[in-house]
Amino acid sequence: MAEISIEGLVKTYPGGTERATDDVSLDVADGEFVVLLGPSGCGKTTLLRMLAGLELPDAGKITIGGRDVTYQPPHQRNLSMVFQSYAVFPHRTVRTNIGFGLAMRKVPAKAVAEKVEWAADLLQLTPYLDRYPAKLSGGQRQRVAVARAIVMDADVLLMDEPLSNLDALLRLSFRADLKKIVQDLGTTTVYVTHDQGEALSLGDRVAVMRSGRIVQLGDPLDVYDRPADRFVGGFLGSPPMNFLPATVADGQLAVAGHSRPAPAHLPAGDLLVGIRAEHIGLSDDGIEAHVEVVEPTGAAVLLTTRVGTEVLKVSAPPTFRARPGDTVRLDLAPDALRYYDAETQLALSP
Ligand code: ATP
């Protein structure tokens, strides 16, 4: 069993004024795939490097499979890492690159060869086994790095933005391959990315980080559907969640000039309403909005509209035709409205 338990990890770099991680706690179940998601500088890589043993925390504790590894060196943690830069040895063939870690462990040559062929097959590298990395594409090099990591039969797989050097199309196809491989292996995995699409598609759970802290942890679709605060709603999703000022008075919620009954848990006064672009419909008696930008995406038409001084992104059906300057009428699906405190911007839960 290789469950990970992280408790109260604090790390400040020498000379740094801010904490790179600020009291981070996280449990990862055996075989679970957890994605650390957040903007640049939020502490994702630092957290991963402390898990790997490449950085030591100032305070806190890390256990893997029940064993306290907080101050153990990387090689005593039985984990494999894949980094953003391909980090393959240029002067070794794909075959020797993939088998390198096993050979270092003095695994017999026959067993190494079998394992290398197994991984090469999984990662579609069999035709390239005798090539040198210089003659591989970026995607193939990154496949070599993943193959090299998975042959080690590690308890834990750590990945830091492994897809970010690949072009958009390759990222998508490799992402699905990676998901299948890790699913089939069942290895406990922690994966760092700033790409919300990657986080949603790969993770069993997503931990959204900001300023050295985990601000929300949960099932990707729950986090997408019910952001814990405005930051998460804005960071997750493309386009980001829309936020509109609103007011509750006399049991009525006034938003964008329209009134509707307010949910009982909302306090009277000012608040923020969040709604995703796909939950805004077009209807004849809806809120009047002016179309500013029309972006067909193939699967939908993304409209940037203005309602008074507020901008609302609307995902319209792919057949919808509009031009900048048009007036449309918008309907906010009541069940999809999310409510946030106007000051703290934290979700107001029922
Ligand atoms: P990115 O996506 O840009 O890699 P990140 O979320 O992984 O960002 P970290 O690399 O963990 O963030 O950095 C967290 C904070 O710690 C940042 O403020 C960063 O400037 C600082 N930091 C990171 N590495 C070092 C270092 N070696 N020395 C000093 N400060 C560092």
Side-chain angles (χ1 to χ4, degrees), residues 212-290:
R213 288 174 169 265
I214 293 178
V215 287
Q216 190 169 5
L217 169 68
D219 170 275
L221 293 182
D222 279 348
V223 177
Y224 177 83
D225 189 41
R226 297 190 175 275
D229 63 15
R230 183 179 185 157
F231 166 79
V232 176
F235 195 74
L236 216 69
S238 176
M241 188 174 238
N242 295 296
F243 289 91
L244 291 168
T247 311
V248 172
D250 302 327
Q252 291 288 305
L253 172 78
V255 54
H258 274 224
S259 253
R260 61 181 81 210
H265 71 279
L266 295 182
D270 292 339
L271 69 155
L272 279 174
V273 163
I275 185 160
R276 295 271 179 207
E278 63 270 28
H279 294 132
I280 303 180
L282 298 149
S283 91
D284 291 344
D285 54 356
I287 300 163
E288 187 174 298
H290 298 282

Side-chain angles (χ1 to χ4, degrees), residues 11-16 18-21 38-49 55 84 160-161 192-194 209 212:
K11 171 82 186 172
T12 308
Y13 287 100
E18 306 278 312
R19 288 178 165 185
T21 63
S40 183
C42 71
K44 317 177 285 291
T45 297
T46 302
L47 184 54
L48 200 76
R49 288 176 63 82
E55 297 288 348
Q84 174 179 354
D160 193 352
E161 309 247 13
V192 161
T193 184
H194 63 269
M209 293 187 68

Side-chain angles (χ1 to χ4, degrees), residues 185-201:
L185 290 174
T187 311
T188 310
T189 302
V190 181
Y191 184 106
V192 161
T193 184
H194 63 269
D195 179 325
Q196 51 91 26
E198 231 166 85
L200 289 175
S201 81

Side-chain angles (χ1 to χ4, degrees), residues 117-139:
E117 275 161 30
W118 163 80
D121 184 42
L122 269 184
L123 285 145
Q124 298 154 36
L125 287 168
T126 307
Y128 312 105
L129 276 172
D130 295 312
R131 278 204 198 171
Y132 286 88
K135 297 208 165 151
L136 297 177
S137 69

